Each structure stands twice: as C-alpha cells, then as structure tokens.
Amino acid sequence: MRPDILNPLFAEVEILDGVGPKLKKPLGRLGLERLRDIAFHLPERFVTRRAVRDLDDAHPGENIIVALTPTEHRSSRSPRGPYRVMAQDDAGNVCALTYFGRASYNAKKQLPVGERRWVVGRLDQYDQMLQIVHPDHVLEEDGASLQRLSEPVYALSEGLTQPKVMSLVAQVLAKLPDLPEWIEPTQVGRADWPTWSEAIGRAHRGEDAIARDRLAYDELLANALALMLVRAANRQRQGQALEGVGSLRAKLDLPFPLTGAQARSNAEIAADLAQTTPMLRLLQGDVGAGKTVVALEAMLVAVESGAQAALLAPTEILARQHFETLQAMARPTGVEIARLTGRDKGRARESILMGLLDGSIDIVVGTHAIFQDTVAYRNLGLIVIDEQHRFGVAQRLQLASKGRRQPHTLAMTATPIPRSLTLAQYGEMDVSRLDEMPPGRKPIDTRVVALERLPEVVDGVARHIAEGKQAFWVCPMVRDNESDDIAAAEARFAALKERFGDDVVMVHGQLTPEMKDAAMQRFASGDASLLVATTVIEVGVDVPKASLMVIEQAERFGLAQLHQLRGRVGRGADKSTCLLLRGEALSETGRERLALMRESQDGFRLAEEDLRLRGGGELLGTRQSGDQAFGIATLDQINRLLPLAHDDARLLMERDGGLEGKRGEAARILLYLFERDWGVKTLRGG
C-alpha cells in the first residue's frame, strides 16, 4: 500500500485551481494526471529574454520583451488558419502577433486595438514580416522591470501554454510534502545535494546541475533497488529443478548445426533450470541469430522433466509464427504444442484450457491471453517471453503466479542493448548473448541512395516484384508534418498503390490490431508483394520471399532501429538488399550512421555506436508497457550516477536491513514515488 505521506502527490490534477475537464485532456496527453506527474515535468530548458527599446534593437531568433500597440486584428478565412494581431513598436516598426487555434480567443482580450502592451516571446521573420508566434506573455505593466527575464520552457501539447503550466507547477511546489531522506548520508554530503523537495523546486526555477543530479540519482536508485528486490525475492522463492534427461532434445533434427553462442547459451540456461532457485535470464540476439532454437531447447528441458512451458509473444501474428515454427522444429519429438490468443473462443478455447489444466498440452504459445485469470496449468515450469521490452515486470509476475511453484523465466529480445545500459535496464537478470549468426546466413547488401533518385528506386521495386519476390517499404512517420519532405506511410502508400494496385498493403501503429494482422497476413502468405509500413515491423513475421527493404528518410532512424528493420529481409533468400534513402541535408553524425550501416552487420556494435552518436536515443527507456522509462536521468547522468546508485542500493539491502528500519521506510517511499513499487510487491509474492 502506498505510504500516506505520498497521497497529496498522487492526487488528481483537478484539485488544482484552473483545471477542469477542458484542461485535463491536454494535460493527459503529456501524462500529467496527478500532482506527482507535474512535479516531475521538469523544464526542457530556460530562456533569458532581453528587453528592447524597439524592434530595430532586436534580431530574428532572439527572445525579447518589447512594447507594442495593436493596430488591427485579422482573422483567417480558414478555421485552421492563423489569427494575426498587427502591432507597431514606438518607432513605427510593424510586427504580427500570430495565434493558431483557440489561443486566438485570448488575443482578442489581451490585445485591444490602440492600447500599449508589453509582449514577451521569440521574434521571427516570415515572408519578410516580423512576427511573434504565440507570445509567452502579454503584460499591461511596464516591461522594463522584466529585464533579463529567465523562464522555464516546458513541453506542451495543444491546448496548453507556458504560463498555464508555470501556474500549475507553482501550485504543486506549494503542496510538496517533506519526505524523509532515502540516500545514504555520506553520498548526500559528498555531493552537497539538497533534499528531494528542495531539488524539485530548484530544478523548476533555473539551471541547476546539482538539483538535477539529485533527482536523477533518486530515479536511478529507485530503479536499481526495485530490480535488486526482484532478484533477491526470486532467489528466496522455491522453484522446481528441471534437469531433463535429453530424450526429447536428442530427437530434434535441425537443418543446421548450433553456433558456439547457441551452445553456450543452452548450457547456461540448462544449468539455471537444474537449480531450485527460479531462473531469471535474458537472451539477447540479433534478428536471425537463432533465439527460437535456444528457447525450444529450454522448453524441451521442462517437458522432459514433467513440466509445461509457455511462450509469451507481444502480438497475435507473432504468436502464430512462433507456433508454426516450433511445431515444425519439434515435430520429431512428439510434444503437444497449442496456441492461445484473445481471438480463441468457444469449444476450441475450452479444449486448450482443459489441455493446460490436465497436462496433455506440453507447450503453449500465445499473447497476454495465456496469463488471464481463467487459464490454469497443471505444472507450469518455464516461461519464455519474446521481445521482453514489450512487457512490464508486473505482467511477468502475473504469468509467474500461474505455476504451483515459481516457474523459471527466460526473456528474449532482438533489441541490441549496449553493455553500459544493461545494468540500468535489466539489472535483475543474468544475461546470455547470441553474438554469432548461424552458418550460411549471408550479409545484407546495404546501400545509401539519395531521395532524389526515388523514381529509379520505385522502378527497381517493380522489377523485383516482377521476379516473384516481395519487398518492404518503411517510412518514419504516419502523417505529414509541416516539413514537406517527410514521407508519411499513408502518403507513400497512396503513391505506390497507383503503381502497384492491390499488390501493396500498409501497416502502421494507428491501425486496429485486426487491420494490422489482416495486412501482415496478406503479405506473409504472398497475396501481396509490397508492404508499406512504419517501424511496427521491427518485431514482425518472417517472410522468406521478402529480400528487398527500402527505408525512407533513413537518417531519421537510430542505428539499432535500422539494423532491426534490415534484419527482416533475406531470411530465406540467397541475396537480399537494403536501400537507405537519405534526405538532402545530412549532418556529420547522420553521414557516419549510414556509413556504419553499410560496413557492419553486428547489432551489438551498432548499438554501442548508436549510443555514442545519439546519446542514448530510443535506447533509453526501451522497457515499456509497465516499466517506466527514465524520465529524468540523462545518458550522462546514467553513466556517472548509476554505479553509485547501484552500490547505494546494495548497501541498503545488505547492510541497512532492506526495506525495514528508518532508511528502509524512506526507501519504500522512494519506490512508490517513482512507481517502482512492483519491487515492493515482489517481496509479498506479487
């Protein structure tokens, strides 16, 4: 149960002045639903504005404070067009104060014609006209008193303004409780850190590296402690030793020998399974590195030992593919494999549930449906979780509760994670790495092509399809934004459909699961030759005939993401090609990333390089769906502070009595504050 001292911070935002149903929506889009969320919604940066006598004393791009007198209000003919207030400074220079959407209502009240106002905002130039878009402040008093005004700049969503967020933050800061100290006292003194509530206030009021480090450390400590608690609780639980006799594994007739990395991982997993302490292991490996074979061997160990195994997949289509792959590979063994997803109804579902309960089903493959309340197992001994980052710790614990005794857990991911981030993200797990590709796997021919050669690329795709092959076309966005050169999946799909007709299908994250599955199934079955998609195909089905991938605006992707996408082609082809279409302007970093993609097929190396070039990028916070990203800690802070936080958490567990005692009670508050309370719940058995 959450400590009472935190209740004010977990109150809904409606208790704040000025927050009603209308404002709750834009706040919700930013995840700002409770006072705690607003407290941790730290400024992205601070701006210092200079008061100028007139616009001749300023230049475009500068944040200024200037006295202006409105002369005319101009409405747009289109409801989505800009609303402009034309104004003059004391020297007669004209400036347009430009508003979009509902903000124009405020402009009518704040800027009456003929009345002088002090306007605060960023001066820009548009079509030879000076303008300030959405002024941050419009003041009646003398703006000279605002010389060198420094203000926080917060992330916004439509319907929110900087002044409104600043008002809400001020109210929250006034309500912050005094929380007990959870950091080891020596560390607090050495770093000269303020208390938690002082750090929150200082971080909102100005650039303050010490306050920011304190808050980042809190987040890292909460994460390290929660993972440590999960690991400690796992070691205390009594599982069942699955030693296996090898009888089923000996019957496997694999078409290729195991790699050294697969054999090593099999040995590590088998050693874990033979212990009564439940295994908690992560299997990392590139797309095509052979994770499924390793998972099958682990599941057969469970079945040889008289237990059942379950494989959890993030999507129905991936569950179906795993089911078909495992059935084909395990056919010589005679084990009974079933598939269970949310779509299974009626007698078919009842038959599977009965088979799991009476033990006649040895292995079940499915989505979240396999850990629903109505599903019971005779003796669940091993859980395999595919694409671990799609599932939260809480979901994993829910599935683990299905066993009579704590099942062993093998999590798999095709997302290469740099070693420097493994501790931060998977600190509770042992790690096995598949860092070799199976023999016969040919490198993917990767080329960088200028976007201006798009017509040639489309012609090449047409020739490829005419040979009876299939292709992916990946776009970075779902809908166009202001920049005309960004290819949206919907726009590209429409253009390609004119050329290829019904032979092209589209998948993106805004489609319903049923629509996505239908499109992917058409492509996987060969009924469609070209799939236009966003990055939802990073984790997707294998299509052996798909030997060409086009990635548009490739410089917008991270290296790890590009590598995962590229891995979807060539699974069954002699030769496969990936074309990286680049935009007109490439930064030095962008050029280096694309050059690395041409020269390397090693996902782990590319992940390390991505970390170096992009400063973490999407690698941070890849634990989703219940495992919060690092919302405060930056990559630099993780590298500097995580080892200290990890040592601090270990001291708390080993020297200071864990969550008992004075500091333990404070640490419990920390876990709930950062919503790592699944660590606490683990101690209570879920």
Side-chain angles (χ1 to χ4, degrees), residues 264-419:
R264 183 181 67 241
S265 297
N266 282 341
E268 291 168 345
I269 292 166
D272 284 357
L273 293 175
Q275 307 300 315
T276 55
T277 299
M279 176 177 71
L280 202 52
R281 182 169 289 275
L282 177 69
L283 178 64
Q284 285 184 288
D286 265 344
V287 173
K291 294 186 296 296
T292 306
V293 174
V294 174
L296 174 59
E297 293 234 6
M299 290 189 282
L300 291 178
V301 171
V303 178
E304 288 170 1
S305 306
Q308 296 164 295
L311 190 153
L312 174 63
T315 65
E316 291 192 3
I317 195 164
L318 198 53
R320 181 164 58 243
Q321 176 177 297
H322 276 310
F323 172 68
E324 292 168 356
T325 301
L326 291 174
Q327 266 201 325
M329 286 196 297
R331 188 167 288 116
T333 68
V335 300
E336 186 66 29
I337 304 177
R339 184 185 71 199
L340 181 63
T341 69
R343 291 190 188 182
D344 293 309
K345 308 291 182 188
R347 290 184 179 177
R349 176 181 171 81
E350 289 302 318
S351 174
I352 295 170
L353 295 184
M354 185 58 68
L356 292 173
L357 185 59
D358 65 22
S360 58
I361 292 176
D362 301 304
I363 297 172
V364 65
V365 180
T367 57
H368 64 279
I370 67 176
F371 61 79
Q372 290 175 339
D373 291 341
T374 54
V375 182
Y377 296 79
R378 181 176 179 272
N379 182 17
L380 181 60
L382 171 65
I383 303 162
V384 178
I385 303 176
D386 190 29
E387 288 310 319
Q388 153 76 11
H389 67 275
R390 298 288 193 94
F391 301 97
V393 171
Q395 287 177 302
R396 195 179 72 214
L397 294 174
Q398 187 178 356
L399 182 54
S401 69
K402 293 293 181 182
R404 288 184 303 182
R405 283 172 288 182
Q406 179 81 8
H408 298 273
T409 301
L410 176 65
M412 304 192 298
T413 181
T415 304
I417 301 166
R419 293 185 187 276

Side-chain angles (χ1 to χ4, degrees), residues 448-452 551 553-555 580-586 594:
V448 179
V449 181
L451 191 59
E452 62 192 27
I551 303 179
Q553 298 283 320
E555 69 275 9
L580 305 176
L581 299 191
R582 60 168 177 80
E584 294 301 318
L586 266 185
L594 297 188

Side-chain angles (χ1 to χ4, degrees), residues 569-628:
V569 297
R571 304 301 295 276
D574 291 334
K575 179 184 177 182
S576 52
T577 304
C578 179
L579 300 180
L580 305 176
L581 299 191
R582 60 168 177 80
E584 294 301 318
L586 266 185
S587 65
E588 184 175 342
T589 297
R591 283 196 302 272
E592 187 175 351
R593 282 211 312 275
L594 297 188
L596 282 165
M597 281 295 295
R598 283 203 312 269
E599 73 176 60
S600 178
Q601 311 263 327
D602 183 342
F604 291 108
R605 182 198 167 193
L606 292 173
E608 295 286 355
E609 292 292 339
D610 208 16
L611 188 63
R612 177 178 66 84
L613 293 170
R614 288 161 60 91
E618 73 281 350
L619 294 173
L620 291 180
T622 52
R623 299 189 72 157
Q624 302 160 2
S625 305
D627 290 328
Q628 294 81 359

Side-chain angles (χ1 to χ4, degrees), residues 27 35 48 105 109 171 175 273 380-381 408 468 578 589 611 661:
L27 288 171
L35 272 59
T48 300
Y105 299 131
K109 297 177 184 177
Q171 293 182 61
K175 297 176 183 292
L273 293 175
L380 181 60
H408 298 273
C578 179
T589 297
L611 188 63

